[in-house]
């Protein structure tokens, strides 16, 4: 692990991923200790001039919901047209309280909100591409047009949306830093360890405040 690099306001942007009620304790797809990231993110965000938020935003009956597949249960893996896909409990349904950003986030000055997962048949982990790996969210173009070359990533969950986003950032030739203090993981069958390893191999900087650990 590295300490958190110094932020360059001209080239750096903080992307806060899916800090939504359904991913926090009490939510439909709660990440253990998920809401613990909120105060950490609020503090870290003060170092950045440029903030982007993302929101998982599914229509009712989304194809990634186990409830849309009779006989299937959440966390099973099934084959979709684009490859293996984990089935999830219904979560982050458009316009519901569960889909709302956590009320404790103090990020009103964020400049962009990217919504993902709204195509009925395609799930969405990365903030850059939907899970078919072909449908872009538009974030890469936005970042390039704004002149940002390094993305700092935090939010929920480390081993899914944060990791997939960081790996896509590297593929798209952005520098990527994951702020581990400001992430929490689902850790399904060792998925956290695998995600950290793959991110390291892809040149993602895994950073945390040394004082915090
Ligand atoms: Zn989702």
């Amino acid at each position: 692990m590295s300490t958190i690099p110094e932020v360059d306001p001209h080239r750096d942007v903080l992307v806060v991923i899916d800090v939504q009620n359904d991913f926090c304790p009490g939510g439909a797809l709660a990440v253990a200790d998920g809401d613990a990231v909120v105060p950490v993110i609020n503090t870290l965000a003060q170092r950045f001039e440029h903030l982007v938020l993302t929101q998982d935003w599914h229509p009712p009956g989304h194809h990634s919901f186990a409830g849309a597949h009779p006989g299937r249960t959440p966390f099973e893996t099934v084959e979709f047209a684009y490859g293996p896909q984990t089935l999830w409990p219904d979560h982050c349904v458009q316009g519901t309280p569960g889909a709302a950003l956590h009320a404790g986030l103090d990020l009103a000055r964020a400049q962009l909100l990217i919504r993902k997962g709204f195509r009925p048949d395609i799930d969405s982990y990365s903030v850059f591409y939907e899970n078919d790996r072909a449908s872009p969210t538009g974030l890469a173009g936005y970042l390039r047009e704004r002149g940002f070359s390094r993305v700092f990533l935090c939010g929920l969950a480390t081993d899914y949306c944060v990791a997939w986003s960081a790996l896509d950032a590297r593929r798209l030739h952005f520098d990527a830093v994951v702020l581990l203090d400001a992430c929490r993981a689902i850790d399904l069958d060792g998925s956290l360890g695998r995600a950290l390893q793959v991110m390291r191999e892809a040149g993602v900087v895994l950073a945390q405040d040394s004082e915090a650990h």
Side-chain angles (χ1 to χ4, degrees), residues 12-193:
D12 293 340
V13 60
L14 177 65
V15 180
V16 179
I17 298 173
D18 297 1
V19 182
Q20 293 167 258
N21 293 328
D22 269 345
F23 295 129
C24 291
L29 180 44
V31 177
D33 209 22
D35 55 346
V37 303
V38 171
V40 182
I41 290 172
N42 288 342
T43 301
L44 282 169
Q46 292 169 13
R47 303 186 194 181
F48 292 83
E49 280 190 27
H50 307 290
L51 306 177
V52 170
L53 307 180
T54 75
Q55 200 170 19
D56 205 29
W57 196 248
H58 299 304
H62 190 262
H63 205 49
S64 74
F65 296 168
H69 303 263
R72 299 287 187 174
T73 53
F75 309 109
E76 275 187 63
T77 301
V78 298
E79 278 299 316
F80 276 19
Y82 52 78
Q85 167 70 47
T86 303
L87 297 179
W88 305 106
D90 289 26
H91 66 278
C92 296
V93 175
Q94 295 170 0
T96 63
L101 296 172
H102 191 287
L105 281 179
D106 183 18
L107 304 177
R109 62 194 180 85
Q111 297 164 353
L112 179 72
L113 171 63
I114 287 271
R115 285 175 167 165
K116 59 194 184 63
F118 49 78
R119 293 171 180 84
D121 296 331
I122 309 175
D123 202 11
S124 183
Y125 298 160
S126 167
V127 300
F128 292 101
Y129 288 101
E130 307 284 7
N131 285 11
D132 63 355
R133 321 302 299 141
S135 305
T137 63
L139 182 60
Y142 173 87
L143 296 178
R144 289 196 183 112
E145 203 161 357
R146 296 282 318 269
F148 301 128
S149 56
R150 185 167 61 170
V151 291
F152 286 66
L153 301 147
C154 63
L156 303 171
T158 321
D159 40 347
Y160 286 91
C161 294
V162 175
W164 285 49
S165 300
L167 294 171
D168 275 347
R170 296 295 299 133
R171 269 182 222 117
L172 292 162
H173 307 296
F174 294 101
D175 293 326
V177 181
V178 169
L179 301 170
L180 290 173
D181 298 313
C183 299
R184 290 295 182 277
I186 293 175
D187 204 12
L188 201 60
D189 300 325
S191 55
L192 176 60

